[in-house]
Amino acid sequence: MSAILIKPSDRVFVLTGAGISAESGLPTFRDSDGLWAGYRIEDVCTPEAWERSPADVWAFYSARRAAGQKAQPNPAHTALAGLEKQLPGRFFLCTQNVDDLHERAGSVNLLHMHGELAKSRCERACGAEPVEDDRVYANLNEVGRCACGGRLRPHIVFFGEMPLGMDRIRREIRQSTLMLVVGTSGSVYPAANFVHWARFEGARTVYLGPEAPLNADAFTHVVEGKAGEVLPGLFHLEA
Ligand code: APR
């Protein structure tokens, strides 16, 4: 397909999902070999799972940390970091991913709406900030506590919790004229609605992934392919 034009007047909003890290060796969630084929969401990724068995939740996220630490950014992460450099002040990256491959590729203007694997925070709403923590815990006894006495939990948005940074995200979408969505199945809200919000603002909306997402109808272009193969040549910047 021909490259997508980025005009000098464009502001670009990018949303990424697990598919952009697939070529780095990290499993997605809903593909046939994905994480939710081997685990039940309600056992490892809900506030109720945390209350019932923090050990199971930490075992799951410790395994994710171990895998994330071994992975390297792929050409799709690098292409987005390069695009940001070419569009100073006109580029915003929102990721649903909790891995740090975007920042390791060089992305700066980046928001992790579903949290970050390499941080932990107090299980209580005590006001303490999340802390850097990339330890792979062998058991619950190793997990520290906050000054208030609460146990540290992964800094991850569980199902049923509010995604992070929604005010900023809404503001960025309102200002954008081009939305690129990469490697997400369009099955988790509110992220699956971003394309509708962008369309409402009159933006062009592009999806890139090996298969059409559930919300494919809302995109002005659907580009079928692997992110690492297609993204580096997807855009043409008009001078
Ligand atoms: N390049 C681009 N996309 C790919 C690639 C690839 N190489 N390989 C797979 N994909 C696509 C799949 O076609 C699928 O549409 O990535 C998508 C992954 O979808 P999901 O597994 O549902 O992941 P995601 O949409 O990111 O999940 C959203 O769900 O479980 C929660 O919090 C978790 O952030 C996650 C959210």
Side-chain angles (χ1 to χ4, degrees):
M1 67 153 278
S2 54
I4 290 163
L5 191 68
I6 299 182
K7 294 172 278 181
S9 55
D10 275 327
R11 284 182 74 102
V12 180
F13 181 106
V14 181
L15 171 69
T16 61
I20 197 165
S21 296
E23 289 157 86
S24 295
L26 297 179
T28 63
F29 293 96
R30 294 175 186 77
D31 286 306
S32 56
D33 55 354
L35 290 167
W36 297 149
Y39 296 88
R40 284 169 11 122
I41 290 173
E42 52 273 40
D43 289 341
V44 295
C45 194
T46 62
E48 296 74 25
W50 176 256
E51 269 172 38
R52 207 169 42 241
S53 179
D56 286 347
V57 174
W58 264 122
F60 178 73
Y61 284 104
S62 285
R64 306 282 68 74
R65 282 182 179 178
Q69 287 161 13
K70 279 195 227 129
Q72 297 299 328
N74 68 53
H77 298 103
T78 308
L80 288 180
L83 195 57
E84 177 177 357
K85 286 202 180 66
Q86 292 177 280
L87 300 171
R90 300 194 282 135
F91 180 96
F92 181 74
L93 173 55
C94 173
T95 186
Q96 298 170 87
N97 298 345
V98 296
D99 66 55
D100 62 358
L101 296 178
H102 283 304
E103 42 271 62
R104 280 163 55 199
S107 288
V108 178
N109 202 10
L110 164 70
L111 191 154
H112 283 275
M113 65 177 291
H114 289 166
E116 290 172 75
L117 260 184
K119 290 185 180 170
S120 298
R121 70 168 190 264
C122 182
E123 64 182 342
R124 300 177 186 159
C126 75
E129 289 295 314
V131 292
E132 306 286 333
D133 175 18
D134 63 357
R135 280 187 63 184
V136 174
Y137 295 112
N139 61 63
L140 196 57
N141 297 331
E142 295 179 359
V143 178
R145 287 191 178 266
C146 176
C148 80
R151 199 191 300 275
L152 287 184
R153 58 167 270 185
H155 182 45
I156 298 287
V157 176
F158 294 148
F159 281 84
E161 295 181 327
M162 190 63 85
L164 306 172
M166 286 308 300
D167 288 347
R168 171 98 198 265
I169 291 169
R170 280 199 201 90
R171 203 164 56 238
E172 294 287 347
I173 292 177
R174 262 201 306 272
Q175 293 175 352
S176 67
T177 56
L178 175 60
M179 175 176 279
L180 168 68
V181 178
V182 185
T184 173
S185 57
S187 40
V188 172
Y189 290 83
N193 266 336
F194 293 177
V195 61
H196 298 284
W197 302 348
R199 281 297 288 272
F200 183 76
E201 301 292 340
R204 287 178 291 154
T205 52
V206 180
Y207 180 80
L208 169 61
E211 64 205 356
L214 287 178
N215 53 1
D217 282 355
F219 288 90
T220 48
H221 299 66
V222 173
V223 181
E224 290 200 8
K226 290 186 175 182
E229 293 172 6
V230 177
L231 193 45
L234 188 60
F235 292 103
H236 174 71
L237 267 65
E238 195 180 84

